[in-house]
Amino acid sequence: MKKQAILKIMITIVMIVGSIFMLNSTIYAENEAITSTNTNSESNTQQTKKSNNANLSNLGIRPNDFTGFKMGKTSYEVTVPEKVEQVEVYATAQNAKATITGTGMKPLEKGKNTLSVVVTAEDGTTKTYTIYVTRKGIEEENTEKVPERYSGDGLATLKIENLELSPKFDTGIYEYTVKYIGDKQKIEIEATATDPYYLVEVTGNEELQEGENTITILVSDPDGKNIATYQVMLHKTLEEEAFVKEQEKTKKQEEPKKKLIIGAIVAGIGMGVILFGVIRHRKNRIWAEEYAVPFSGTYDEEEDYEKEDEYREEDEIEMSKEQAREAYLNNYKKEKEKEGDKETQKTGRSKRHKGKRFK
């Protein structure tokens, strides 16, 4: 009986251990499957994050830009005057992670030039935009001749209210700057083409904002082909702001003048004080020399030194002219009296004469 009970217990333990092992295996397999699914999902997510957007949001050339850009349109044609020997190609991608090649300054040969701009998306997708630039001077085959009535080069005149263009207007110059002070959102522009059959279109002259504004003037023939493009960079400043800036400018210009005037006044005062001191010193010296007369006298060396100190103190006292004259007469009188009272001196005593000077 005991053996049977022990056998049953052992069988039960084996079954429990086996169940536990099978349960752990199942859990491990499920975790592996979940991990694999998550990994694949993350990998797929990372792959889906890469953009295939190879479109441009803007494309053109400077000068003589063209109009009508569209994201899906990949081919453009434009004609420039013979004077334009090079153009700058500019482009902007819709997706910030896309790369662009083919922009920058490009030389032009007379005739037809092909300029290509290639956009490469983040995932490697590419798209090519082509600009055909025809520089006047050579008529190429299969190219429709422009009638002589369309032989102008662009604008004959350009006036923007009463503002001054920089540089001065010339038909062959296509970029200008101008400053405007005021609060108008639209200014008057007078532009006439070199040929009466040319069409002139002005863009960017609406809702002018404070600061920099770009106004574009397009000249085209009746068939819509671009003849010339002019760009005017207009800097708008409000009247109050312009007035404040003008005041600040004037103030800065006047500050050095004020400092110079103040410095001259201070220097003048300083020179006046120095000159006054010199003149006064010379006057004091003159009257002191006139009334400072030496006199002789004797005194015993054994007498109290306080008396000698009194003489020294009197030497250093500065007196007025009247005081000096009176002191001189009194001292002179005293000296004469002393000479009468002290005709003889003790033997062996030395005498010392002292000259006195009054200032």
Side-chain angles (χ1 to χ4, degrees):
M1 293 293 291
K2 289 183 179 179
K3 291 182 179 180
Q4 292 178 354
I6 293 171
L7 182 61
K8 290 181 178 180
I9 292 170
M10 292 179 65
I11 292 171
T12 303
I13 292 171
V14 170
M15 291 177 66
I16 292 172
V17 171
S19 298
I20 293 172
F21 178 79
M22 291 179 65
L23 180 62
N24 288 336
S25 299
T26 302
I27 294 172
Y28 177 79
E30 292 178 352
N31 289 336
E32 285 292 319
I34 292 171
T35 302
S36 176
T37 301
N38 291 337
T39 303
N40 292 333
S41 177
E42 289 177 0
S43 177
N44 293 333
T45 301
Q46 291 178 354
Q47 290 179 358
T48 57
K49 284 183 179 179
K50 291 185 177 181
S51 174
N52 63 350
N53 188 347
N55 294 321
L56 290 177
S57 61
N58 193 15
L59 175 66
I61 62 173
R62 300 188 186 96
N64 300 95
D65 207 353
F66 55 85
T67 59
F69 171 80
K70 294 180 181 179
M71 177 185 66
K73 185 178 179 181
T74 58
S75 179
Y76 300 88
E77 291 187 9
V78 62
T79 302
V80 300
E82 185 179 356
K83 296 179 181 179
V84 180
E85 297 179 352
Q86 62 179 3
V87 294
E88 179 186 3
V89 179
Y90 66 88
T92 305
Q94 282 189 344
N95 190 285
K97 294 183 179 180
T99 58
I100 301 174
T101 59
T103 57
M105 300 301 298
K106 304 295 179 181
L108 298 178
E109 299 291 337
K110 289 184 179 181
K112 196 170 185 177
N113 298 262
T114 302
L115 307 179
S116 298
V117 176
V118 180
V119 186
T120 304
E122 184 183 12
D123 66 348
T125 302
T126 61
K127 189 173 185 178
T128 302
Y129 291 81
T130 305
I131 306 172
Y132 298 101
V133 182
T134 301
R135 180 185 172 195
K136 291 183 178 182
I138 296 179
E139 296 178 356
E140 299 200 358
E141 295 181 0
N142 301 325
T143 301
E144 182 181 356
K145 295 182 180 180
V146 178
E148 291 187 4
R149 61 180 182 177
Y150 305 147
S151 60
D153 293 326
L155 290 179
T157 62
L158 176 60
K159 294 181 181 179
I160 300 179
E161 293 207 357
N162 296 322
L163 306 177
E164 182 180 355
L165 291 174
S166 178
K168 188 177 179 180
F169 174 77
D170 183 87
T171 302
I173 299 176
Y174 303 98
E175 294 183 358
Y176 300 89
T177 59
V178 65
K179 294 181 180 179
Y180 167 67
I181 300 175
D183 55 1
K184 289 184 180 181
Q185 292 187 341
K186 183 177 181 179
I187 61 176
E188 297 180 4
I189 297 178
E190 179 183 343
T192 57
T194 53
D195 192 292
Y197 293 97
Y198 286 158
L199 303 178
V200 178
E201 180 185 359
V202 179
T203 60
N205 187 29
E206 296 179 356
E207 298 181 358
L208 296 175
Q209 303 295 321
E210 183 180 0
E212 297 293 336
N213 298 267
T214 301
I215 299 174
T216 303
I217 304 171
L218 301 173
V219 182
S220 57
D221 62 22
D223 297 328
K225 294 183 179 179
N226 180 269
I227 300 299
T229 302
Y230 298 83
Q231 287 186 337
V232 179
M233 299 299 296
L234 183 142
H235 183 83
K236 178 181 176 182
T237 306
L238 298 179
E239 293 180 359
E240 295 181 358
E241 182 181 351
F243 178 73
V244 172
K245 289 183 178 179
E246 187 65 25
Q247 282 188 326
E248 291 179 352
K249 182 179 179 181
T250 304
K251 186 177 179 181
K252 289 182 179 180
Q253 291 176 348
E254 291 180 353
E255 281 182 357
K257 296 180 181 179
K258 290 181 179 179
K259 291 181 179 180
L260 183 61
I261 293 172
I262 293 173
I265 293 173
V266 172
I269 294 174
M271 291 296 294
V273 171
I274 294 172
L275 185 61
F276 176 78
V278 171
I279 293 173
R280 184 176 179 183
H281 177 73
R282 292 187 64 183
K283 286 184 177 180
N284 291 339
R285 183 176 178 181
I286 291 171
W287 74 256
E289 290 179 352
E290 289 179 354
Y291 295 101
V293 181
F295 67 92
S296 61
T298 59
Y299 70 95
D300 291 334
E301 291 181 349
E302 295 179 355
E303 290 180 358
D304 191 5
Y305 284 101
E306 292 181 357
K307 188 172 183 180
E308 185 174 356
D309 292 337
E310 290 178 0
Y311 279 103
R312 292 175 180 173
E313 290 178 359
E314 290 177 358
D315 288 343
E316 301 299 328
I317 296 175
E318 293 186 359
M319 302 179 183
S320 64
K321 295 180 179 181
E322 291 77 6
Q323 290 175 338
R325 186 185 295 109
E326 185 178 356
Y328 167 73
L329 295 174
N330 290 336
N331 288 329
Y332 183 77
K333 184 177 180 181
K334 288 180 181 180
E335 291 296 329
K336 288 296 182 180
E337 291 177 354
K338 286 181 180 180
E339 289 179 0
D341 294 338
K342 295 181 179 181
E343 293 179 355
T344 58
Q345 298 296 333
K346 292 181 179 181
T347 306
R349 290 290 183 91
S350 63
K351 296 181 181 181
R352 185 173 64 171
H353 295 277
K354 181 176 180 71
K356 192 167 185 64
R357 181 181 183 83
F358 295 92
K359 295 181 180 180

